[in-house]
Each structure stands twice: as structure tokens, then as C-alpha cells.
Amino acid sequence: MDDIDNETIERLLLLANLLEFNSREDTVAYMERFLKLSEPDFQDVLTIKGFQYTGEKIEVGEVKGKKVPGYVFEYDARNADMSRLEEKKVCWKDPLYLPPSDEIDLQNRMRENDGFFHKTKLKIESVDPHKRQFVIFRNKKSMEEGLAFLNGVEALTEFEEFKKPDFQRSIERIINSYLDKLGFEGEADYLQARKQFLIDARSRKKGEDNPPTPDEIEEIAQDVHDNNKLAFSIIEKSSVIKPTDGSIGELVKRVKSLDNSYLAIQGPPGTGKTYTGAKIIHSLLTSNPDEKIRIGITAQSYSAIDNLLAKVISFFSRDELELLQPWRNETKRSAAIETYALGEGCDFLIENDERGNCNLVASTAWNFVKKRKETEKYDYLFIDEAGQFALYDAIACCASARNIILLGDPMQLPQVTQATHELGAGQSVLEYLIGNENVVDHESGKGVLLDTTYRLRPEICDYTSAEFYEGKLSTDDRCLKREISNGRNGLFWIDAKHKEESVNHSLEEAQIVKQVIRGLINQPLYRYSSENESQVEDKLQEDDFMIVTPYNAQIHLISQTISHEFPHIPIGTVDKFQGKEAPVIIYSMATTSRELVPPGRGDFIYKPNRLNVAVTRAQCLSIIVANRELVEAHASSIHEMRDMNHLCRIFEDEEIAKEWAL
């Protein structure tokens, strides 16, 4: 094909790199797990080191309906909180296997399912981080035979099934069909359709072969193209939906007008992204029940899926519940599902396994990558936290949907990849569609920005709006009715002078965190009451705080420092708290200086997305605790300099933030 423009060439190169997305990610993930088993890293929350069988058995457990004993293991106290390993399959390093000689050797072993991990279905059923114990339920005979062996194992780590053949097949089909659309010769998807048509035609047994006519063959090819219109729309960024504003009514109207296309809804912190998505779904399912619309909900994590699903169900009145037939595959249910779904009478939510009869299906992407006939497709697929949802996964999901609605924010936590991907193949779908801009431009047809925050006081909103959203984010008036009465509302910083240099922990910062909490606890707090749109006086309690830090080591240190005095204050990484809020946020950065940061980790420390998420969890007060050397460092690149400037502005611009006096 001679007549091809540069833009099309770039798309084709991107698609070529997408074909390698899985294998590259799997290779890195596989190797990373191996290294966690080989090197003593007690802060890795997915690897337990230094454990042994206590000799204790619990009475009974159940595996596949059979009662089996539970074996109690004790692990080294230096391990971080191991709760994330609960209900996870684990594996260990097999001493009979040597590490791969190179990447090709590794990929060959993975392809042959012959890696250097011990293959096991061993599953950790429960973890007690206070007792430093975990329980394994296992068939009595097989477990007792393996106890001696397990006692000699150095570490257990999470075992993931890395291969995703359904995803790969979906991507390959779509790419082949796209190549055919462009006029490239090859084993395109429609050629397979032609072949099947011939087979079917010759089996009609009308006394003679009845091959399809050229027109019939062309119709088959067109059907394949039509089946992939949504994928083509995303690949080509060809949405032309232009909402005039972000009102629910306007968005519902635009969603209904989609035709094998997509709509991106960017929701900065506190703008009600999940609320908006849930309202749209509720309207689609209730406005005209006779339409029999089918909607899918997906995200990168079950917590995000359940948050959106629960919010949808909460909008259904008792009288409307009969219009809702939800399904969510059976796995550990979140508190949100227990509270909203089951509490509202949707006790069939988990048990109903007939997805074909359900009008609201919630699942991770695996359920949406399988090729479906046009009549079986979901009318709308809602992808929550689309800023973290891989472009690869989104294109694969097009196999089962007519339209996609993307809810997310590329300026919050990004798509997590471990491997290097060229030409943007490692982007999230939202990053890809919005492009290099921080804010979606509805005039271009790319989507709509929710531009009013219902969480942030103006002192915090002004900073995040200027730094990350081109000054387009504003505060709703009700936010002014949330305040700490001592006048210390807004964005502050504390210069924590480190006595000893450290990359991932600081005792000085842990002590400062405790001092700040002591100074604020039981201070008058005014909350906003939606009932009468007024202030309600209260006092700051432990659950009004969140402590955020980049490192598990600092989490552990702060927990040790404050737990006796303030045992109920949540502490975690930025990733843990995305989507959550509290009146007071304390962000401990822990690292002494830029020079101590390992190569390639500067992006992690200064990442604007992480800073944005950290400071915007706060309704009233956000405090950054950091050693000033972090903002007095020499950047290693222009890109890093730009990222550092977001943090520097907090320390240097008195109109933005002030130093907190202890």
C-alpha cells in the first residue's frame, strides 16, 4: 500500500508494539517475583520471608466443599503487613532450577510452563498481621507430607497466572481486521470468516455445492469490519461526541447517541466521577426498561469495580429494584457491596451466574475480551479508573461492547507497567485518547471535564487546579462549610531535617507526624450537612486523619511510632488511598535527598500524579512533611525538573502554602 500517511504509520507501529505488551509485562513480573525470593526484602507485601510451622492446627476449614485441617505458620516480625496475601496462591523458588540465562531462555520456559518456581496450588487462606501468623488449609495427607519441606523454604511469594491468551487473541483479531480495512494483504480475520462461510455453504446438502457469491463474501467481510468499529474508533481517536457541559442530563444524552464509539469523562479529585458514572448507568437502565439495555462495568481492581457497582445499586429505589438484574463473579466481596448491594435486597448479586440474562455485569476485563456476536454484545461498557486501565486491555474489551464510557483522570495515578514499551504501547487508554494534554478538551470531541470539586477547600483546589488542570478546576460553595476552627485550613509544609540519610524511611518525619496529630486531635471541626446545607460542629477524631507515604518501610515506622497513642489512624501508600478522602492528610515523603534515590526512581518520588493524589485526599488540611533537600536537588533531566517544580512551588510560593509551626 503506497498511499499511507504518517499518522497511520504511527498507529500501525503502536499496534505492533501492543502485540508484545503481554509477553514483556509477564517477563518482568516473573523475574521480579524470582528476585523477591532470592533477596532479603522484608518490605515486599507479597513475599513472606522467615516462616515456620507452629505445630498448631485449627479445627476445620473447607476446600472445594470438603472439610480439611488448617495449618498455622508463624513469620518473621520484620515482614511488612502481609494482609495482601490473604486468599492468594503462593509459590517458592525451586532449588532444582537455575535462573534463566537470558530473556529468550526465560520466555521459552514460560511458554513451556516450565519456569523456576515450584508449581503449586498452595493457598494462604488467612493472615493475622498482629500475631504474625498465616493459615493454610490443605488436604491432610498432602500437607503433612510437605510440612518438612516447607520448613526448609526461605520464602513464599504470590503466584500469578501470567498468560492471557484471550486478551492476545482479541488483540490479534482486531489488528488483523484493521490491517484489512487499510488494504493490507494477510491472514485477516475476515478471511477466516470467508473460510467458515464456504464450509457452511457446502454443508447445506442441496444436491450440489452452493458456494457463496462475491456479494455474500463481501457482506461477510463488512460484518467483521462492523464488529470491530468500536476498536477502530479508539485506535483512530475518532469520537465526535461533544457534550456542552458535564451535567448528568447532558452526559446521558450524549452516551445514548454513541454509535460504536466512546466517551471520555475526566474526573479530577472530588468531582464525583464515580457518582456521575453511576447516575448515567441508573438513567440508562430505568428511563426506558423496554429497551433491554445491557451494561458492563470493569476496572483494574475489584475495589474500583465494587465502588461503582455499589453506587449504581444505591440509586435504585425499592420500586426500581425489579428493573435491575446484576451479576458480579464470585470472589471476595468488598464492604461496599455488603453495605449497599446486599443491604438493598440484591441478594442475587453474587449467586446469579447466568450472565446472559443480566443487564448489569461487573467483572475484571477477562469477561469482556471474548469475541461475541453482535446480538450478544454489551450496549455500553463502563471502564472506571480508566487512567490506570491499559490501552491493550481496552482494545481487547472492544470485542464484546458496542460503546465504551471511560471514567478516570490521567493526572491521578497512572497505568502501572513494569516493562518498557515503545511508541506509547504502555499507556493507559485515557492517556492515549487525551494525548499530551492534562485536561480533556470537549471541543475536540475527545470527552468532557468534570470541573467542580465537592471535596477540596479553595486553598487546596487553587494549587491543584493551577498545577495539574490548567486552572479549570473550581470549588463548590459547600466546601467552605468544612473547616478546622483554628484557621489552619489549606496546604502546609514542614521541613523535616534528617539526622541520618535514608531512601525509604525517616524517624524524624515519623515523630513530626505524631506531633502534628497531637496538636490537632479533638480540635473543633465543622462538617457540611447536606440535610439543611449548613455546618455541623464536631471534633477531629482518629478516623478524620489519613497518613500517606511512598514506602512500606515508612508505613511500618510511623505505625510503630503512633500506634500506642493513635492506633486507629489509617496509614498507607498513595495507591491505597486513591478515591478516598478525610479532613486531614499528612504526607510523609521519607527520602532524605534526590541523590540517594536509586537510578530510575526519581520519577517515582517527584511524579506529579502521586503528589496530586496525595494532597487532594484532604477536605480541609493537607500537610507535606519532607526534608527540604528534596526541593534543592539538581534534576537529572528536563522532564524531572518539570516534575520537581510542582513540589518546589509548595515550599516556595507563600500564596500557595505556608510552613506549619510545630
Side-chain angles (χ1 to χ4, degrees):
M1 195 176 164
D2 298 326
D3 187 20
I4 184 168
D5 55 57
N6 289 334
E7 192 173 348
T8 302
I9 291 173
E10 287 180 6
R11 287 195 207 109
L12 292 173
L13 290 172
L14 169 67
L15 294 174
N17 278 276
L18 280 179
L19 286 172
E20 298 181 3
F21 182 86
N22 257 349
S23 62
R24 287 178 179 270
E25 286 296 303
D26 290 351
T27 299
V28 175
Y30 206 82
M31 200 65 195
E32 184 181 68
R33 289 294 96 205
F34 179 79
L35 292 173
K36 295 297 185 185
L37 292 173
S38 304
E39 301 172 357
D41 181 6
F42 287 98
Q43 297 308 315
D44 176 41
V45 295
L46 296 177
T47 304
I48 298 182
K49 294 184 177 290
F51 63 89
Q52 60 182 359
Y53 178 48
T54 64
E56 180 185 357
K57 295 182 188 178
I58 61 175
E59 291 184 2
V60 292
E62 271 196 19
V63 175
K64 295 182 178 180
K66 296 181 179 179
K67 291 184 177 179
V68 295
Y71 298 84
V72 182
F73 288 78
E74 197 171 63
Y75 60 88
D76 194 304
R78 290 175 293 174
N79 283 274
D81 185 354
M82 308 312 303
S83 302
R84 285 184 55 187
L85 275 174
E86 196 164 82
E87 299 188 346
K88 298 283 189 181
K89 289 182 180 179
V90 291
C91 58
W92 53 90
K93 187 170 63 173
D94 192 330
L96 298 177
Y97 285 92
L98 296 173
S101 56
D102 51 34
E103 186 172 324
I104 295 175
D105 183 23
L106 173 60
Q107 291 183 354
N108 287 336
R109 293 195 196 185
M110 292 169 62
R111 194 175 297 112
E112 297 166 3
N113 196 25
D114 189 25
F116 40 79
F117 291 151
H118 183 80
K119 302 176 189 68
T120 179
K121 294 182 178 179
L122 194 65
K123 183 178 178 183
I124 294 179
E125 296 293 329
S126 63
V127 178
D128 187 337
H130 300 291
K131 292 183 178 180
R132 302 284 175 179
Q133 292 179 341
F134 62 90
V135 176
I136 296 173
F137 292 146
R138 191 74 166 161
N139 175 277
K140 183 177 179 180
K141 182 179 179 181
S142 63
M143 191 63 195
E144 290 188 344
E145 288 176 351
L147 282 174
F149 175 75
L150 273 179
N151 274 330
V153 171
E154 295 178 7
L156 297 174
T157 194
E158 180 188 25
F159 178 76
E160 289 284 353
E161 293 287 347
F162 295 107
K163 295 181 181 181
K164 299 183 196 176
D166 289 338
F167 286 76
Q168 194 70 12
R169 281 194 290 269
S170 179
I171 288 287
E172 288 172 356
R173 281 197 303 268
I174 289 168
I175 290 177
N176 279 332
S177 185
Y178 189 63
L179 288 172
D180 177 66
K181 176 193 173 187
L182 296 176
F184 287 91
E185 295 181 358
E187 190 66 10
D189 198 41
Y190 91 100
L191 293 176
Q192 295 294 329
R194 288 184 188 183
K195 182 179 178 182
Q196 189 59 49
F197 189 96
L198 285 166
I199 293 171
D200 294 343
R202 289 168 181 163
S203 66
R204 294 172 190 170
K205 296 182 180 180
K206 293 181 179 180
E208 59 183 55
D209 287 346
N210 187 22
T213 65
D215 288 343
E216 288 176 317
I217 292 176
E218 186 58 35
E219 186 179 347
I220 293 170
Q222 190 58 48
D223 284 344
V224 174
H225 291 158
D226 292 344
N227 205 275
N228 289 308
K229 274 185 178 179
L230 174 57
F232 298 165
S233 177
I234 290 177
I235 292 169
E236 297 175 349
K237 305 181 184 180
S238 58
S239 175
V240 291
I241 303 299
K242 298 182 180 181
T244 57
D245 58 57
S247 66
I248 300 296
E250 174 71 9
L251 288 172
V252 170
K253 186 190 305 181
R254 299 302 178 182
V255 167
K256 286 184 175 181
S257 70
L258 291 172
D259 181 16
N260 287 290
S261 190
Y262 65 89
L263 176 63
I265 301 175
Q266 182 180 2
T271 55
K273 164 181 64 63
T274 300
Y275 174 93
T276 299
K279 273 290 188 183
I280 294 172
I281 294 172
H282 173 260
S283 180
L284 291 171
L285 293 176
T286 58
S287 59
N288 189 357
D290 294 334
E291 284 187 284
K292 300 191 182 297
I293 287 173
R294 295 184 72 225
I295 295 174
I297 290 175
T298 191
Q300 283 294 90
S301 67
Y302 273 115
S303 62
I305 292 170
D306 285 352
N307 283 339
L308 179 55
L309 179 59
K311 184 62 72 175
V312 171
I313 295 171
S314 72
F315 288 143
F316 278 76
S317 67
R318 289 284 177 178
D319 294 337
E320 293 175 327
L321 273 177
E322 64 181 19
L323 301 175
L324 183 63
Q325 294 90 45
W327 180 90
R328 198 277 222 172
N329 59 311
E330 191 170 353
T331 187
K332 189 175 181 181
R333 295 176 292 198
S334 71
I337 291 296
E338 295 283 358
T339 302
Y340 292 105
L342 302 182
E344 292 292 331
C346 292
D347 56 347
F348 52 86
L349 182 67
I350 308 298
E351 298 169 7
N352 188 353
D353 200 29
E354 297 295 324
R355 298 194 296 280
N357 299 324
C358 297
N359 59 5
L360 184 62
V361 172
S363 174
T364 49
W366 69 267
N367 185 60
F368 302 105
V369 299
K370 298 176 177 67
K371 187 179 180 182
R372 286 178 169 84
K373 297 177 181 177
E374 194 62 31
T375 55
E376 297 173 341
K377 284 190 171 186
Y378 294 88
D379 297 283
Y380 305 99
L381 176 61
F382 284 73
I383 300 178
D384 202 5
E385 302 295 356
Q388 296 180 291
F389 201 86
L391 174 62
Y392 175 94
D393 292 345
I395 292 177
C397 286
C398 291
S400 62
R402 294 191 182 92
N403 305 287
I404 283 180
I405 293 84
L406 302 153
L407 306 165
D409 182 11
M411 295 311 297
Q412 296 189 61
L413 293 184
Q415 154 72 4
V416 178
T417 56
Q418 300 185 80
T420 300
H421 302 279
E422 297 177 359
L423 301 169
Q427 295 177 96
S428 72
V429 59
L430 204 56
E431 287 176 301
Y432 173 72
L433 293 173
I434 292 178
N436 297 322
E437 305 298 324
N438 291 352
V439 177
V440 65
D441 176 18
H442 77 269
E443 290 296 329
S444 68
K446 293 179 180 179
V448 63
L449 173 73
L450 305 179
D451 60 5
T452 303
T453 179
Y454 302 91
R455 175 191 304 161
L456 307 174
R457 285 185 58 87
E459 301 94 331
I460 304 173
C461 180
D462 289 348
Y463 167 76
T464 198
S465 179
E467 293 296 301
F468 307 114
Y469 300 104
E470 301 175 2
K472 295 179 180 179
L473 185 63
S474 60
T475 297
D476 186 81
D477 290 343
R478 71 191 71 180
C479 297
L480 291 169
K481 295 177 180 178
R482 298 193 192 101
E483 61 179 330
I484 301 169
S485 68
N486 65 7
R488 286 190 164 183
N489 301 283
L491 186 57
F492 291 81
W493 57 269
I494 299 174
D495 184 6
K497 294 178 174 57
H498 294 187
K499 293 179 181 178
E500 295 183 2
E501 295 184 335
S502 177
V503 174
N504 60 6
H505 66 278
S506 166
L507 180 60
E508 291 78 22
E509 290 189 22
Q511 294 289 353
I512 288 172
V513 169
K514 183 165 71 174
Q515 285 181 267
V516 171
I517 297 169
R518 282 176 175 173
L520 289 170
I521 201 78
N522 292 321
Q523 288 288 316
L525 169 70
Y526 290 95
R527 304 181 192 273
Y528 172 74
S529 172
S530 58
E531 293 182 5
N532 53 16
E533 298 184 352
S534 64
Q535 287 183 325
V536 177
E537 187 173 356
D538 200 357
K539 288 186 177 180
L540 281 168
Q541 302 299 314
E542 288 187 46
D543 57 1
D544 294 318
F545 293 80
M546 283 183 189
I547 301 171
V548 186
T549 185
Y551 304 105
N552 287 314
Q554 186 69 354
I555 293 173
H556 187 62
L557 186 56
I558 293 175
S559 179
Q560 287 183 320
T561 305
I562 72 168
S563 59
H564 295 294
E565 198 169 346
F566 309 108
H568 304 299
I569 294 180
I571 311 169
T573 62
V574 176
D575 308 73
K576 177 180 177 180
F577 291 133
Q578 176 155 308
K580 298 180 180 177
E581 61 185 41
V584 180
I585 296 296
I586 306 172
Y587 183 33
S588 172
M589 298 193 70
T591 304
T592 302
S593 67
R594 169 65 183 87
E595 286 69 27
L596 295 174
V597 177
R601 299 292 286 174
D603 186 59
F604 176 77
I605 290 294
Y606 297 110
K607 191 75 173 177
N609 308 62
R610 291 185 168 274
L611 178 63
N612 183 31
V613 173
V615 301
T616 58
R617 302 308 92 198
Q619 297 169 333
C620 302
L621 173 62
S622 190
I623 301 173
I624 295 178
V625 183
N627 188 358
R628 194 180 184 95
E629 289 183 37
L630 276 179
V631 298
E632 295 175 343
H634 296 288
S636 60
S637 65
I638 297 292
H639 177 79
E640 188 176 87
M641 183 183 296
R642 185 175 64 245
D643 289 352
M644 289 172 63
N645 282 337
H646 296 295
L647 183 62
C648 289
R649 190 173 180 197
I650 296 175
F651 276 73
E652 300 297 338
D653 193 337
E654 292 186 1
E655 294 182 5
I656 291 294
K658 296 179 180 178
E659 186 171 10
W660 184 276
L662 291 171

